[in-house]
Amino acid sequence: MADPQTPGLRLLSLDGGGIRGLSMLLILEHLMYKLKVAENLPDIPHPCDYFDLIGGTSTGGLIALMLGRLQMSVEDSKKAYGQLAKEAFSDVKFHRSDGKFKASKLEKAIKQIVKTYSASENPEDRLEDIRDNACKMFVCAMNAANMSLPVLFRTYSTLNYPAMDCTIWQAGRATSAAPTFFKQIKIGVSGMEEAFVDGGIGHNNPTASLLAEAKILFPHHQIACIISLGTGQPHTIGIPKPSLMNHFLPLDVVEAIREIATDCEKEHQSLAHHFDGIANLYFRFNVERGMQTIQLNQWERLGDVAANTRQYIQSQPITDQLADAAKSLSEKTGKVSTSSLGKGS
C-alpha cells in the first residue's frame, strides 16, 4: 500500500530519434527554467535534482546518461550532445556492412563526455552509481541474439537484477547501436561476450519500462509526475518509401525503421488512456511539425531542430502544459500508487 504522505515520484522518459534528440533537451531546458522561476532559485536546476528515475532509449539513452549518471546540467548536455552528434555522423564508412558510420568515433565522443563530466575524470568509469545522492537511471538496448525483450542497463541494483557490469561509455554505445548506423557492441567476460544493439525497435518510447522500474524500486511510493519527451511526431518523420530504399537496405530493415517511427506514439496513446482523468500527472511533449525532412544523422541541421522546437514551445497550449508540468514537479505530492502501474496495466 502506497503511503499518501510520502513525496510522490517524478519520472523522466526520453525517446530515441537520432540528432532530433536535441529537441528533448530544449524542452527540458524550458521546463527547468520554469522551475527556477516558480521556486525562486538562484540558478536553473539540474534534472537529476528533481527526477527520481530517468529512462532513455538510443539518443534518449545518451541524454539519460548525461543528465542522470553524470548529473550534468541541461546547458552542458546541449553542448556535449551537439559535439557528439557532429563527431559520430561526420565520417561515413566506405564499407557499410556493419553500419554506415564508424562506431569508434561514437565511442571516442562518449568517452570524452564521461572524462569531462564524471567526478573522477576517468573515461572508464563504471555505470553503477553508488553515491548517496545518485539519480537512478537506465538505458534500453536489445540483445542481438534474442530481441524479444529490452535489456536495461541500470545504474542501480534491484532485488532480482544487479547493476549492469559495464562502463558508462559501453552502456551509451549499446543503447545507440542502431543497426543501420553503427555496428553492434560486445560486452561481457572474454569468450562469453553478448552483442547488443539499440532498443529502438519496439521500445523507442521507454515510458512503460520506466513505470515498471518505478514499481520495483519504489513499491510504497506514489507517482507525482511523469514527463515523456519525444523527438517528433511519427506522421512528420520523413522515411523514404521502400522502393527508394531497397537499393541500399534490406526490406526487413526498412520495415524496422517504419516500426520505430510509430512505436513512440502508440506507447503514448496507451499511457494517455491509462492516466485519463488524473489531472497534471502524465505529460507528453513532442514537436508536432517541422521535423519531417530532418533525418536521424543530419547533425548539420541541429539548428533546424532547435528552430522547430522553439516554435513548438512558444505555442500557447504547450506553454500552458509546461507550466502545469513545472507545478507538478515542484509540488512533489503523490497521486497514483505504483502498485497500479506497469506494462499493460
Side-chain angles (χ1 to χ4, degrees), residues 142-204:
M142 303 291 284
N143 191 307
N146 187 339
M147 299 182 67
S148 58
L149 292 172
V151 177
L152 303 189
F153 284 67
R154 302 173 175 89
T155 60
Y156 53 88
S157 297
T158 69
L159 291 175
N160 295 322
Y161 302 101
M164 183 64 77
D165 184 18
C166 68
T167 63
I168 298 172
W169 75 261
Q170 285 175 320
R173 266 283 284 120
T175 194
S176 58
T180 57
F181 290 152
F182 301 103
K183 68 179 180 181
Q184 303 171 355
I185 180 173
K186 293 184 177 181
I187 300 173
V189 179
S190 179
M192 295 184 290
E193 300 96 336
E194 297 178 56
F196 295 95
V197 298
D198 87 346
I201 299 175
H203 303 282
N204 210 43

Side-chain angles (χ1 to χ4, degrees), residues 102-117:
K102 293 182 178 180
S104 59
K105 292 290 187 73
L106 177 59
E107 289 176 11
K108 182 180 178 181
I110 299 173
K111 286 180 180 180
Q112 184 58 51
I113 293 171
V114 177
K115 180 179 179 180
T116 302
Y117 292 100

Side-chain angles (χ1 to χ4, degrees), residues 64-337:
L65 287 167
M66 294 184 207
L67 299 176
R69 178 60 180 85
L70 298 175
Q71 299 187 352
M72 292 166 61
S73 68
V74 178
E75 181 64 26
D76 285 340
S77 297
K78 284 196 309 177
K79 295 175 183 177
Y81 186 82
Q83 187 61 35
L84 180 147
K86 180 179 179 180
E87 292 182 21
F89 293 117
S90 292
D91 195 355
V92 179
K93 292 162 56 178
F94 181 74
H95 296 290
R96 305 182 186 182
S97 59
D98 59 352
K100 184 177 180 180
F101 301 97
K102 293 182 178 180
S104 59
K105 292 290 187 73
L106 177 59
E107 289 176 11
K108 182 180 178 181
I110 299 173
K111 286 180 180 180
Q112 184 58 51
I113 293 171
V114 177
K115 180 179 179 180
T116 302
Y117 292 100
S118 66
S120 67
E121 299 182 354
N122 179 7
E124 299 292 334
D125 260 4
R126 310 303 292 177
L127 179 62
E128 184 177 15
D129 195 346
I130 60 174
R131 291 174 292 186
D132 291 337
N133 65 337
C135 169
K136 291 179 170 57
M137 58 79 52
F138 66 85
V139 300
C140 295
M142 303 291 284
N143 191 307
N146 187 339
M147 299 182 67
S148 58
L149 292 172
V151 177
L152 303 189
F153 284 67
R154 302 173 175 89
T155 60
Y156 53 88
S157 297
T158 69
L159 291 175
N160 295 322
Y161 302 101
M164 183 64 77
D165 184 18
C166 68
T167 63
I168 298 172
W169 75 261
Q170 285 175 320
R173 266 283 284 120
T175 194
S176 58
T180 57
F181 290 152
F182 301 103
K183 68 179 180 181
Q184 303 171 355
I185 180 173
K186 293 184 177 181
I187 300 173
V189 179
S190 179
M192 295 184 290
E193 300 96 336
E194 297 178 56
F196 295 95
V197 298
D198 87 346
I201 299 175
H203 303 282
N204 210 43
N205 179 338
T207 311
S209 294
L210 188 72
L211 291 170
E213 286 293 291
K215 181 178 178 180
I216 293 169
L217 283 170
F218 310 103
H220 304 297
H221 286 64
Q222 296 184 329
I223 300 292
C225 185
I226 306 163
I227 306 292
S228 174
L229 302 181
T231 61
Q233 291 278 13
H235 65 271
T236 62
I237 295 176
I239 301 175
K241 295 179 180 179
S243 60
L244 299 178
M245 297 180 71
N246 288 344
H247 296 294
F248 306 99
L249 297 174
L251 184 59
D252 60 338
V253 174
V254 174
E255 292 306 318
I257 293 173
R258 289 188 173 278
E259 183 179 340
I260 289 172
T262 58
D263 168 60
C264 296
E265 284 306 299
K266 284 182 180 179
E267 190 66 57
H268 160 56
Q269 292 298 330
S270 175
L271 290 165
H273 176 73
H274 180 82
F275 293 114
D276 186 35
I278 307 174
N280 296 333
L281 185 138
Y282 172 71
F283 297 90
R284 172 73 169 173
F285 298 104
N286 198 18
V287 176
E288 297 171 353
R289 294 183 297 274
M291 301 287 201
Q292 61 269 30
T293 63
I294 303 174
Q295 297 179 26
L296 304 184
N297 60 307
Q298 287 184 305
W299 63 268
E300 69 276 8
R301 298 194 63 187
L302 286 170
D304 294 338
V305 174
N308 289 318
T309 304
R310 296 195 192 285
Q311 287 291 326
Y312 170 78
I313 290 171
Q314 291 171 9
S315 66
Q316 195 58 53
I318 301 305
T319 296
D320 293 343
Q321 290 174 35
L322 283 165
D324 289 340
K327 182 179 179 182
S328 185
L329 283 172
S330 181
E331 287 177 346
K332 309 176 186 179
T333 55
K335 294 187 180 76
V336 174
S337 167

